[in-house]
């Protein structure tokens, strides 16, 4: 059987038969791949905990008829180790994994940008940003906005998302795609305020120095805007997002 090798992050797993598991991977070069790990649920398995969600692994895969098969797996890092002790961090990480899984619709369609973004976001969630620690909601918000942007759903933050009139404007409407003017704003639009607009712009760019000193109220309101935007563009929403305290 032909084989190939790649680095990957484990997105999710579920049982198959008595001892096997189906593992969903986001690979650096092969995109999202669903594979079978034979005998992984046995205590004697040589893979064991290497193929759990949040694991960063070097895998060798054998091409199969319907699903490829794990031939070898070497652990590179387990991002979940830094998250399991904090419920908010852990559920934020779960939301990142679910988002990557949902956005990568076509299997084996490469998207190195999504892979690198997820890897970086999980690392920052556990270790802090290049500019110091930030609340989990900020890190998750930045990941969600940037992942959606890569997938083609970038929020419009400098002009009206409907008519294109140059901003700034006061209103935010997730269904419209972001900022909207007075003439175009649909029912249910919200008025974020200048500080929230500034934080949204910083999160989209990953500009962590620009997020220094943000107040809890601004952080909370901005997290709500990101949540609403992501929920709208992810069809049925994100199950993990609803588990985060305060969401």
């Amino acid at each position: 059987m032909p084989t190939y090798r790649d680095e990957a992050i484990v997105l999710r797993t579920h049982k198959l038969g008595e001892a096997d598991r189906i593992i969903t991977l986001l690979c650096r070069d092969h995109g999202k791949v669903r594979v079978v790990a034979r005998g992984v649920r046995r205590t004697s398995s040589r893979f064991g905990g290497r193929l759990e969600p949040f694991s960063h692994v070097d895998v060798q895969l054998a091409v199969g008829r319907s699903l490829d098969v794990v031939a070898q797996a070497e652990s590179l890092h387990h991002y979940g180790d830094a998250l399991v002790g904090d419920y908010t961090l852990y559920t934020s990480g779960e939301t990142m994994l679910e988002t990557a899984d949902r956005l990568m619709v076509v299997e084996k369609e490469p998207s190195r940008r999504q892979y690198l973004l997820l890897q970086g976001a999980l690392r920052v969630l556990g270790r802090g940003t290049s500019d110091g620690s930030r609340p989990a909601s900020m890190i998750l918000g930045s990941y969600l906005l940037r992942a959606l942007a890569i997938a083609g759903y970038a929020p419009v933050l400098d002009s009206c998302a409907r008519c294109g009139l140059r901003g700034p404007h006061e209103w935010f409407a997730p269904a419209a795609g972001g900022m909207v003017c007075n003439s175009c704003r649909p029912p249910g639009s919200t008025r974020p305020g200048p500080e929230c607009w500034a934080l949204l712009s910083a999160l989209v760019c990953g500009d962590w120095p620009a997020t220094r000193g943000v107040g809890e109220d601004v952080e909370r309101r901005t997290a709500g805007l990101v949540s609403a935007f992501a929920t709208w563009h992810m069809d049925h929403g994100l199950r993990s997002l609803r588990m985060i305290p305060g969401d």
Side-chain angles (χ1 to χ4, degrees), residues 158-173:
D158 59 359
S159 59
C160 179
R162 286 192 165 175
C163 71
L165 181 65
R166 191 72 183 173
H169 302 293
E170 295 184 354
W171 301 95
F172 183 86

Side-chain angles (χ1 to χ4, degrees), residues 62-85:
V63 178
R65 289 184 179 180
S66 56
L67 296 175
D68 297 344
V69 179
V70 179
Q72 185 177 350
E74 298 295 333
S75 179
L76 299 176
H77 193 80
H78 194 272
Y79 293 109
D81 290 346
L83 310 179
V84 292

Side-chain angles (χ1 to χ4, degrees), residues 8 13 17 28 35 37-38 58 60 74 106 135 151 161 170 174-175 179 216 233-234:
T13 71
R28 181 184 61 187
V35 301
R38 303 290 188 196
D58 184 318
Q60 183 173 339
E74 298 295 333
V106 181
E170 295 184 354
M179 180 180 284
E216 289 186 8
H233 291 286
M234 299 290 284

Side-chain angles (χ1 to χ4, degrees), residues 3-228:
T3 63
Y4 61 97
R5 198 174 198 94
D6 208 342
E7 287 186 15
I9 296 171
V10 178
L11 301 181
R12 63 187 176 99
T13 71
H14 62 269
K15 296 178 181 178
L16 177 66
E18 295 184 357
D20 305 337
R21 274 202 171 108
I22 294 178
I23 314 292
T24 303
L25 303 171
L26 179 56
C27 298
R28 181 184 61 187
D29 297 321
H30 293 85
K32 187 172 78 171
V33 181
R34 291 193 310 140
V35 301
V36 176
R38 303 290 188 196
V40 74
R41 289 160 55 203
R42 296 193 182 103
T43 55
S44 59
S45 171
R46 66 183 187 277
F47 302 137
R50 300 176 193 174
L51 294 173
E52 294 294 328
F54 295 109
S55 294
H56 179 210
V57 291
D58 184 318
V59 289
Q60 183 173 339
L61 304 171
V63 178
R65 289 184 179 180
S66 56
L67 296 175
D68 297 344
V69 179
V70 179
Q72 185 177 350
E74 298 295 333
S75 179
L76 299 176
H77 193 80
H78 194 272
Y79 293 109
D81 290 346
L83 310 179
V84 292
D86 186 297
Y87 183 75
T88 300
L89 289 178
Y90 188 81
T91 50
S92 296
E94 286 278 4
T95 303
M96 292 177 182
L97 298 185
E98 184 184 354
T99 300
D101 187 17
R102 294 273 300 277
L103 289 178
M104 297 294 292
V105 178
V106 181
E107 291 191 23
K108 294 190 176 180
E109 182 176 274
S111 180
R112 186 172 288 196
R113 291 177 67 196
Q114 289 286 11
Y115 169 82
L116 292 174
L117 178 65
L118 177 62
Q119 183 184 21
L122 291 174
R123 182 174 60 250
V124 167
L125 189 62
R127 299 181 184 176
T129 77
S130 57
D131 194 60
S133 63
R134 292 294 187 277
S137 65
M138 278 193 192
I139 298 168
L140 175 60
S142 180
Y143 170 76
L144 290 173
L145 292 173
R146 296 169 76 183
L148 285 164
I150 292 171
Y153 305 109
V156 179
L157 301 177
D158 59 359
S159 59
C160 179
R162 286 192 165 175
C163 71
L165 181 65
R166 191 72 183 173
H169 302 293
E170 295 184 354
W171 301 95
F172 183 86
M179 180 180 284
V180 286
C181 66
N182 279 321
S183 300
C184 295
R185 67 182 179 95
S189 299
T190 59
R191 183 181 282 164
E195 291 180 315
C196 289
W197 284 119
L199 182 54
L200 281 170
S201 297
L203 295 179
V204 167
C205 300
D207 183 359
W208 295 115
T211 67
R212 294 175 190 167
V214 171
E216 289 186 8
D217 180 61
V218 173
E219 174 200 330
R220 178 183 54 79
R221 287 188 286 125
T222 303
L225 297 174
V226 175
S227 176

